[in-house]
Amino acid sequence: MGEAYIIDAVRTPRGRGKMGKGALTGLHPQELLAQALNRLADRTGIDRELVDDVVAGCVSQVNDQGANVARNAVLAAGWPTSVGAVSLNRFCGSGLQAVNFGAMGVMSGAQDLVVAGGVESMSHNGLGADGGGTDGGNVRLRERFFQVPQGISADLIATLFDFSREEIDAFALESQRKAAVAVQEGRFAGALFPVMDPETGQVLLEADEYPRPSTTLEGLAALEPAFAAFGAKPIGPNGESLDDIALAAYPQAKEIRHVHTAGSASGIVDGAAAVMLASADFVKAHGIKPRARIRSLATLGTEPVIMLTAPAPTSAKALKKAGMEVGDVDLWEINEAFGVVPLQTIRELGIDPARVNVNGGAIALGHPLGATGAMLLGTALDELERRGLATALITLCIGGGQGVATVIERV
């Protein structure tokens, strides 16, 4: 297999994902991704005509995010019509999966230059906007696996692995603190670019809009559990609640302790990101100095009711492919879909917590579903360079019981 080099990575700021409440809500998602594509091309100086393909993650591919949002973003960006594009959905892992697919194309020798990333305008198309629910309404599948909403799964994990409300809240507070430091010190400036109004040229947003640096432990403790009432809702064929359904799969839990709140779950935001990947031959032919290389990548499925425990085994799989151990990874980006996800991954793999999400995560910054994985890769790369370190592992939990992971190494 050949090498896949990371030439550069960019991202938009994350805007609040409520229509009329966030700075990016008036912008079409195609335009949001188009600006990331053009920013990446301008920064690298690469001729857009040379791009073999654009691969973009997007979870809710409906309405203005339907009709292959990646291809329409390429056209909206004014790129040559010869540049094709594809949109993909691996739920929360879509942005990183796009990067991995791009890397696969380059590593295989089938492609020389790929741009990958993702977009999600959650103010336009919120959670569940595609109408498929957790299982597409397949009653026969539901008889085998009744996939409860992710918030119920997160609280089930906290119950089974004995993570307390206090531990979850403390982790959420630390995410806010680290993000505040990162913003204050300009740590996101490397990848971040201002989003413009395409009509007026005025700046719509130039910094992440979601963080709440004034968050306190007392404020977090006062929040009501987000999924307790939801978990008690009768929904099964015989009037079972969502909690009952989850407990039928994991009776050892006995009851589900609902510990996650709006303050310890990922934020709903708008955003886009793009990463440029190139082959060794392309890098040499064009005299490019890459920033890093993809050292390994992996996906993995796990049990779909508990759903969110896959980052640990997926990361282990990626490390094995790279010939690495947990301690060899300098920095970890474990997506904070819910506070328990990185906490369980840290415990399962024996990771040094000081190496994890050092600039905060989705609890503080927000989680634009289709774009997050590509954003995390760029964040990890910038921080490796800032600290003079070598390797990072990026991983995300995924709906339906899946994980995705990528190991990168500076060159």
Side-chain angles (χ1 to χ4, degrees):
M1 295 291 287
E3 296 279 13
Y5 289 102
I6 301 170
I7 308 305
D8 207 354
V10 302
R11 73 167 178 92
T12 70
R14 297 167 173 92
R16 289 186 175 275
K18 290 187 178 181
M19 185 57 70
K21 301 290 187 180
L24 301 180
T25 65
L27 191 63
H28 198 290
Q30 294 172 9
E31 300 290 343
L32 192 59
L33 180 55
Q35 290 194 33
L37 296 176
N38 279 331
R39 180 70 170 194
L40 183 66
D42 290 344
R43 276 184 32 153
T44 60
I46 297 293
D47 183 352
R48 293 155 170 82
E49 190 85 46
L50 300 176
V51 176
D52 289 311
D53 204 6
V54 172
V55 186
C58 183
V59 174
S60 296
Q61 295 185 35
V62 294
N63 305 318
D64 55 4
Q65 290 184 167
N68 192 355
V69 64
R71 171 60 174 170
N72 282 313
V74 167
L75 298 176
W79 283 29
T81 56
S82 60
V83 180
V86 61
S87 305
L88 67 89
N89 177 13
R90 199 188 278 271
F91 297 126
C92 297
S94 298
L96 191 60
Q97 185 62 63
V99 173
N100 287 356
F101 278 156
M104 290 177 195
V106 170
M107 288 173 168
S108 70
Q111 297 168 317
D112 285 310
L113 185 66
V114 176
V115 171
V119 63
E120 205 81 35
S121 288
M122 298 185 74
S123 60
H124 294 214
N125 302 286
L127 294 168
D130 62 3
T134 55
D135 57 17
N138 186 342
V139 177
R140 291 187 68 248
L141 173 60
R142 199 168 296 169
E143 291 172 355
R144 295 186 62 197
F145 298 106
F146 200 121
Q147 298 173 57
V148 298
Q150 290 188 17
I152 306 297
S153 296
D155 286 338
L156 174 62
I157 294 167
T159 302
L160 289 171
F161 290 86
D162 196 25
F163 288 103
S164 67
R165 168 70 184 266
E166 291 74 20
E167 288 176 284
I168 301 291
D169 283 352
F171 183 87
L173 181 66
E174 188 68 0
S175 181
Q176 294 285 353
R177 185 196 68 77
K178 290 187 288 189
V181 171
V183 170
Q184 184 178 13
E185 296 184 356
R187 296 185 189 179
F188 298 132
L192 201 62
F193 70 92
V195 176
M196 316 296 286
D197 185 323
E199 298 292 334
T200 67
Q202 294 182 327
V203 174
L204 293 175
L205 186 64
E206 56 186 353
D208 292 309
E209 197 174 26
Y210 191 80
R212 299 177 295 278
S214 61
T215 299
T216 64
L217 201 57
E218 293 75 18
L220 288 170
L223 295 173
E224 292 294 322
F227 306 104
F230 198 33
K233 182 180 179 181
I235 196 169
N238 299 309
E240 306 98 324
S241 70
L242 288 168
D243 280 0
D244 291 335
I245 292 165
L247 288 170
Y250 291 90
Q252 65 269 38
K254 296 183 180 178
E255 66 175 354
I256 295 178
R257 292 186 291 104
H258 290 285
V259 296
H260 287 89
T261 69
S264 55
S266 54
I268 295 173
V269 293
D270 302 336
V275 179
M276 184 172 286
L277 302 154
S279 67
D281 287 345
F282 188 94
V283 165
K284 184 177 179 181
H286 293 269
I288 299 168
K289 184 179 180 181
R291 296 176 63 189
R293 69 183 180 104
I294 304 290
R295 183 154 172 179
S296 73
L297 48 88
T299 56
L300 187 140
T302 56
E303 200 280 321
V305 178
I306 203 166
M307 195 179 299
L308 308 175
T309 57
T314 310
S315 297
K317 184 177 180 180
L319 289 172
K320 184 178 180 180
K321 286 180 176 292
M324 297 171 64
E325 303 289 340
V326 168
D328 297 330
V329 179
D330 294 317
L331 295 175
W332 294 73
E333 286 290 337
I334 306 171
N335 188 40
E336 297 174 1
F338 300 90
V340 77
V341 175
L343 284 172
Q344 189 268 337
T345 307
I346 289 168
R347 181 188 292 177
E348 186 78 10
L349 295 179
I351 304 168
D352 178 359
R355 301 186 184 192
V356 177
N357 300 0
V358 296
N359 291 326
I363 289 173
L365 296 162
H367 177 18
L369 306 178
T372 302
M375 287 185 170
L376 294 183
L377 185 144
T379 296
L381 180 53
D382 285 346
E383 192 62 16
L384 285 176
E385 291 175 345
R386 192 184 76 83
R387 296 184 180 216
L389 300 174
T391 58
L393 190 150
I394 303 97
T395 186
L396 299 92
C397 61
I398 299 172
Q402 298 183 84
V404 61
T406 307
V407 178
I408 66 171
E409 181 178 44
R410 288 180 59 207
V411 297

